Amino acid sequence: MRIHEGRNVKRFREMLGIKQEALAAELGTDWNQKKISLLEQRERIDAPILDQVSKALKIPVEAIQKFDEEKVVNIISNTASFDNCEQPAFFNFYPTFNPLDKLVEAYEEIRRLNEALLREKDERIKILETKR
């Protein structure tokens, strides 16, 4: 079975929570949602475009070229028996971090970035006022 690169682009895009419109915007002005949709239908994608898409998604080109859903399903079905509630080894229900701490860190980063934006805005206003 041949690997469908367009379908893999779609899978990775969806796993990353990126909409077609957002990917199109990341790729440049000559891209739009329809063009991304058509790209995701192609079995083979030209190397320069594949490279551009992989950089936009921040994943290696090889991930798109070699991801085989059938193999993944086989691995999962062979490593987990859900009849007796065994879980695959890659499930981690006990994170090594506190999710609330991560949320607080994210809010602090947003606050820091907002303050930086406000400082930059004030600096630009001062520059514009001195030019008058």
Side-chain angles (χ1 to χ4, degrees):
M1 179 181 163
R2 288 188 66 159
I3 294 186
H4 195 288
E5 292 174 349
R7 196 174 302 128
N8 287 347
V9 166
K10 180 179 181 178
R11 285 189 185 103
F12 282 111
R13 178 183 58 73
E14 289 175 342
M15 282 189 276
L16 294 167
I18 299 171
K19 300 247 181 238
Q20 287 179 332
E21 296 85 3
L23 180 57
E26 184 73 24
L27 292 173
T29 56
D30 57 330
W31 286 86
N32 57 38
Q33 181 272 325
K34 178 71 174 168
K35 195 170 177 181
I36 296 294
S37 179
L38 292 172
L39 177 77
E40 291 176 350
Q41 294 173 25
R42 294 174 52 192
E43 185 172 344
R44 287 270 168 250
I45 299 173
D46 297 333
I49 294 173
L50 193 59
D51 186 54
Q52 189 180 8
V53 169
S54 73
K55 285 178 183 171
L57 293 174
K58 296 175 179 66
I59 60 171
V61 172
E62 294 79 20
I64 297 170
Q65 292 173 324
K66 296 181 180 178
F67 181 78
D68 187 347
E69 185 178 26
E70 202 171 291
K71 287 181 183 176
V72 172
V73 169
N74 285 337
I75 290 169
I76 291 171
S77 62
N78 290 333
T79 58
S81 170
F82 293 103
D83 294 338
N84 61 8
C85 298
E86 289 179 17
Q87 297 296 326
F90 56 84
F91 284 147
N92 182 6
F93 293 104
Y94 305 102
T96 58
F97 61 90
N98 183 342
L100 291 176
D101 289 343
K102 293 295 182 183
L103 184 62
V104 169
E105 286 175 23
Y107 281 126
E108 288 174 358
E109 179 69 8
I110 290 169
R111 185 179 51 79
R112 187 189 66 74
L113 291 171
N114 281 335
E115 288 173 357
L117 281 172
L118 289 172
R119 278 193 305 275
E120 186 176 331
K121 179 192 74 147
D122 291 341
E123 290 171 10
R124 288 177 185 251
I125 287 172
K126 285 179 187 175
I127 291 170
L128 290 172
E129 287 174 348
T130 59
K131 289 185 179 181
R132 288 185 188 178

